[in-house]
Amino acid sequence: MKEGFRQSMAWLHTWSGLVVGWILFAVFVTGTLSYFRPEISQWMRPELRDVKADANAAEHAIATLQERAPSSPRWFISLPEAREPVVRVTYRDPNGGEGRRGFKSVLLDPATGKEVTARETRGGDFFYRFHFELSMKPLWGRWIVGFCAMFMFVAIISGVITHKKIFKDFFTFRPKKGQRSWLDAHNAVGVLALPYHVMITYTGLVTLMFMYMPWGVQANYGDNREAFFDEALGVPAEVKPANQPGTLTNIKPLIEQAREHWDGANVAFITVNNPSDANSRIMIRRDNEHRLSTSNQSAEFAGTTGELLSLAGEPPPASQTRAVMFGLHMATFSSITLRWLFALSGLGGILMVASGLVLWSVKRAPERVKLGYTPFGHRLVEVLNIGVISGLPIAIAAFFYANRLLPVELAGRADWEVRTFFAAWLLSFVIPLIRPARADWTTQFVAGAALFAALPALNAATTQTHLGVTLAHGNWVYAGFDLTMLGIAALLALTAWYASRTPTSRKPAKRQAVEVSGLPAEAERA
Amino acid sequence: MASLTASYRLAVASRALAAILGGYALTALAITALAIFLPMSRAEASLTATLLSFLIYTCVVIWVFATRSATRAWLGIIAPMVVLGALVWLQRLAS
């Protein structure tokens, strides 16, 4: 750090990257999975196989809600979409619900409005929440992920500064050369998806920026944050009930009217305020498909008369910038092809973080040779590397296994799926503690590959949504999931094969040590 | 790796502290000033300032580790904080 600018940046890149690398790896993996949140949720509820979107879904949902929860102060209706064709309604349960403030969520069949019964599972939502909360208390998890994301951004920028020859580096790959190969691989995956990494890290911070950096709002609004959200993001103020009964008008013409304003775009979400009151409000929200911005495009109607009260248009520049950044991060706008490109870039990020972590260990191999033993710090990094990088795939597979194998009627079933996930992950840390490192990389990648490879078979044995059925019926949500699992298995198998033949980082070959010491310029760059 | 002296470790710890905590404090003050002084509606000014915050933070962190000494790093954090703090304070007095 005492040397020039580039050396100090190399130092900063190494250490800021190492400190948060393990959490970033998990954040990258679960974030990439979250691109497919609806598909994962769908696969984890095989009972919903034959549920289909329906043009009258909103009407049916409202009829059901009128019967079940007329006194709820608010109804939330999430309409079916191609990727998860089921209706989700949330209302305050008169008998007391388990959710926040007595609210309860139920899945409905779009065609009938009847509740569908599916196994209790968190589905893709588990990965989505883990991505920014790490299954911790929301406040803790979000701050830790934000802290790591900030480090990541610093690591990316200092990484770019470190590379004078960034373009040339990208086209440089010297395989089978130990440390140099790791460095080249780290550079290649890092630079290949660099615009994506910069974008996804910054926009990720932006999604929670009012929590991380409340000072800009504080400066102009003090503690009156509601006023800010109202003014800046168009979150409408609540409407007081008239305390006189009222009947809701038919929703269908309102939806048609709203869609006309949006050039025929679909409706994603409906909120009904004071549904059984004379002063009811129906808020219809546009979906964000084919739309980069996630700004709130909604139409508000008087509930009893169906009169259009307000129509949220395009927001001012800063607000729109935030909404576009949000949209870029969530990738809800994208077609399936583009979403896969995002996922591949996410995979690039996963590989970048993983190779960076391994590189730290590999680079210090000569030091271990010189010392004649493995210092505690090195061993710690090694065990954490193995547990996190090769263990997380095992934990994810275990989560899917639990979904298929746990009895459907088990109480607290969704929680047991999550417990299985963490139990499997914990095991992947314990095993490398008691065994030599090289064997462990290979064993755990092989285990991960085997688990993913067998998942479609398990699916076939336990459900009617297996490849034999889904491929024949062109049901691509289920079929795509199974095929992707096979793809992940192949990827892990390839990694296992590679790990089994790479010289271990613990006992480096002499040749490698010589090579490293002969390349001071290379070494300092990492 | 050269042997790490105690003073080197102390300097690194000092810089890390300057970057993480000092950087956050400076960023917080900078976006407060931006939110107040940007010539836009107050909602847009608050949003613009907040959107820029992570960029400002990153630049501060990089500078802290790039500058010659830990002492300079701290000075570079504190001096602009004093200026920004004075500006914000004067504006509060005036309004």
Side-chain angles (χ1 to χ4, degrees):
Chain A
M1 205 166 57
K2 305 156 202 164
E3 304 89 6
F5 182 56
R6 275 184 56 236
Q7 278 86 346
S8 68
M9 285 300 107
W11 182 94
L12 181 60
H13 182 80
T14 302
W15 292 99
S16 62
L18 180 74
V19 168
V20 298
W22 297 292
I23 288 174
L24 282 178
F25 181 81
V27 168
F28 254 115
V29 170
T30 51
T32 304
L33 287 174
S34 298
Y35 286 135
F36 303 101
R37 168 156 77 134
E39 285 86 355
I40 294 173
S41 294
Q42 184 78 352
W43 187 88
M44 294 183 80
R45 295 188 184 93
E47 296 84 357
L48 303 186
R49 186 191 67 180
D50 296 323
V51 169
K52 294 227 163 22
D54 188 278
N56 298 320
E59 272 178 292
H60 293 146
I62 285 185
T64 303
L65 284 164
Q66 275 168 336
E67 196 180 300
R68 281 193 174 206
S71 59
S72 172
R74 210 159 295 131
W75 296 336
F76 302 97
I77 305 165
S78 164
L79 291 176
E81 49 154 340
R83 300 166 66 197
E84 203 188 5
V86 68
V87 175
R88 179 187 291 274
V89 293
T90 306
Y91 56 88
R92 187 186 277 168
D93 192 355
N95 310 318
E98 69 273 27
R100 235 193 309 177
R101 281 181 282 160
F103 274 83
K104 179 180 175 179
S105 262
V106 172
L107 298 177
L108 304 181
D109 185 335
T112 61
K114 293 224 164 58
E115 180 172 351
V116 288
T117 39
R119 63 192 60 199
E120 195 202 319
T121 178
R122 297 198 48 205
D125 293 357
F126 171 68
F127 299 116
Y128 172 72
R129 306 296 294 197
F130 188 96
H131 172 63
F132 61 94
E133 287 175 355
L134 306 172
S135 277
M136 303 168 88
K137 286 210 163 64
L139 200 69
W140 278 92
R142 288 173 188 206
W143 270 106
I144 292 172
V145 171
F147 184 80
C148 295
M150 199 56 226
F151 266 61
M152 163 104 180
F153 199 67
V154 170
I156 289 176
I157 303 298
S158 56
V160 169
I161 296 171
T162 311
H163 291 277
K164 254 196 324 214
K165 306 167 291 181
I166 197 155
F167 189 70
K168 197 175 151 217
D169 276 345
F170 174 54
F171 289 102
T172 309
F173 185 61
R174 291 154 289 189
K176 297 175 190 155
K177 289 261 167 67
Q179 184 194 341
R180 254 200 308 197
S181 305
W182 280 107
L183 182 61
D184 289 347
H186 184 61
N187 290 339
V189 287
V191 176
L192 176 66
L194 186 64
Y196 172 84
H197 295 139
V198 172
M199 178 280 283
I200 212 71
T201 313
Y202 206 87
T203 56
L205 286 163
V206 165
T207 57
L208 291 173
M209 67 179 183
F210 297 123
M211 177 183 162
Y212 299 142
M213 293 281 178
W215 315 110
V217 175
Q218 170 92 22
N220 284 336
Y221 294 85
D223 291 330
N224 191 3
R225 286 167 71 86
E226 272 78 48
F228 167 74
F229 288 118
D230 192 8
E231 247 174 72
L233 308 178
V235 179
E238 271 187 33
V239 179
K240 292 256 178 315
N243 290 323
Q244 278 161 12
T247 320
L248 282 181
T249 175
N250 186 2
I251 186 94
K252 211 169 176 195
L254 306 188
I255 291 181
E256 270 156 27
Q257 199 183 338
R259 290 187 60 184
E260 247 167 62
H261 284 286
W262 302 323
D263 306 320
N266 285 321
V267 170
F269 203 80
I270 297 170
T271 312
V272 184
N273 281 305
N274 316 324
S276 304
D277 190 87
N279 205 7
S280 53
R281 291 279 183 281
I282 298 176
M283 178 77 88
I284 296 181
R285 211 186 141 139
R286 178 187 175 167
D287 81 348
N288 291 321
E289 211 180 335
H290 311 304
R291 192 167 165 264
L292 204 50
S293 168
T294 55
S295 71
N296 177 26
Q297 290 235 311
S298 57
E300 193 183 22
F301 297 92
T304 49
T305 62
E307 184 197 347
L308 178 62
L309 298 176
S310 70
L311 196 65
E314 292 300 337
S319 182
Q320 185 72 297
T321 305
R322 174 190 166 272
V324 167
M325 285 185 154
F326 224 95
L328 277 172
H329 194 83
M330 312 286 277
T332 44
F333 60 88
S334 64
S335 64
I336 187 81
T337 322
L338 187 56
R339 185 166 306 118
W340 269 102
L341 283 176
F342 266 64
L344 285 179
S345 304
L347 183 63
I350 294 167
L351 294 175
M352 173 181 72
V353 176
S355 59
L357 284 168
V358 171
L359 183 58
W360 190 94
S361 252
V362 172
K363 208 189 128 189
R364 280 154 188 80
E367 199 187 327
R368 291 193 282 277
V369 171
K370 217 164 87 185
L371 287 168
Y373 68 94
T374 305
F376 173 75
H378 292 204
R379 181 78 180 125
L380 179 74
V381 168
E382 191 173 70
V383 169
L384 284 171
N385 276 352
I386 296 173
V388 171
I389 298 169
S390 70
L392 183 55
I394 294 176
I396 291 167
F399 183 68
F400 294 142
Y401 273 75
N403 177 262
R404 288 299 190 253
L405 292 174
L406 289 176
V408 172
E409 63 281 359
L410 180 69
R413 191 178 185 285
D415 294 333
W416 280 106
E417 286 181 6
V418 173
R419 279 177 207 136
T420 313
F421 172 89
F422 283 109
W425 204 359
L426 196 65
L427 201 66
S428 330
F429 283 96
V430 176
I431 293 173
L433 274 177
I434 47 179
R435 284 160 51 97
R438 180 178 170 185
D440 269 318
W441 278 111
T442 313
T443 322
Q444 300 211 144
F445 279 128
V446 167
L451 284 170
F452 276 105
L455 204 52
L458 173 78
N459 191 24
T462 52
T463 70
Q464 283 305 309
T465 53
H466 54 84
L467 283 171
V469 178
T470 52
L471 277 180
H473 287 83
N475 193 333
W476 287 107
V477 171
Y478 289 99
F481 185 100
D482 278 355
L483 293 174
T484 307
M485 294 305 112
L486 293 177
I488 294 175
L491 219 64
L492 288 170
L494 200 71
T495 317
W497 173 76
Y498 184 70
S500 72
R501 38 195 308 282
T502 316
T504 161
S505 54
R506 268 182 99 194
K507 288 191 188 127
K510 210 163 188 188
R511 188 177 58 86
Q512 196 192 349
V514 172
E515 234 171 48
V516 169
S517 58
L519 281 167
E522 287 293 330
E524 109 193 339
R525 255 195 4 199
Chain B
M1 210 182 286
S3 66
L4 304 174
T5 61
S7 69
Y8 176 82
R9 281 170 196 266
L10 199 69
V12 171
S14 170
R15 278 191 210 232
L17 217 62
I20 296 170
L21 295 181
Y24 187 85
L26 176 53
T27 307
L29 209 52
I31 67 171
T32 301
L34 277 174
I36 292 173
F37 294 111
L38 278 176
M40 309 170 179
S41 77
R42 60 177 192 159
E44 286 284 284
S46 288
L47 265 168
T48 308
T50 313
L51 282 167
L52 287 173
S53 60
F54 306 109
L55 208 59
I56 300 172
Y57 199 177
T58 305
C59 292
V60 173
V61 171
I62 290 198
W63 182 81
V64 162
F65 282 98
T67 196
R68 276 207 308 278
S69 71
T71 321
R72 275 177 66 95
W74 275 109
L75 277 176
I77 294 275
I78 291 164
M81 277 186 76
V82 171
V83 176
L84 288 166
L87 279 174
V88 171
W89 183 66
L90 283 174
Q91 195 271 346
R92 287 272 188 268
L93 276 188
S95 66

